[in-house]
Amino acid sequence: MSTPSRVAVVVLGTGQVLLHAYAWQDLIRRPAAEVKGPKLPWGLALLINWAGPIAYLFAGRTEDAKPLSFER
C-alpha cells in the first residue's frame, strides 16, 4: 500500500472512530425526551459504520435538543 493510501486510511479511520464515539456519548447522556424514538434502535443503528452515527446526529435528536456538554 502506498504512503498516501496509508495516510488516507488512518485519517478516515480516525474520523470514523471519533464520529462513532461522539454519537454514542450523545445518545447515552441525552435524555430520552430529546431523542426521536426509543434509544435502543438508535443504539443499534450506531453500529452501522458511517451511516448510523450520521443518521442519529442529523435525524435522531429533537429540534429543541441542546448541544451535548461534556462538563461534569
Side-chain angles (χ1 to χ4, degrees), residues 15-61:
Q16 181 177 355
V17 168
L18 292 174
L19 178 67
H20 191 82
Y22 177 77
W24 268 109
Q25 285 283 71
D26 187 86
L27 180 63
I28 290 167
R29 292 184 179 193
R30 186 167 303 280
E34 294 182 3
V35 176
K36 292 181 182 175
K39 284 186 165 189
L40 179 61
W42 281 115
L44 294 174
L46 291 180
L47 298 175
I48 303 170
N49 289 337
W50 288 94
I54 291 172
Y56 168 71
L57 292 173
F58 283 99
R61 303 180 294 176

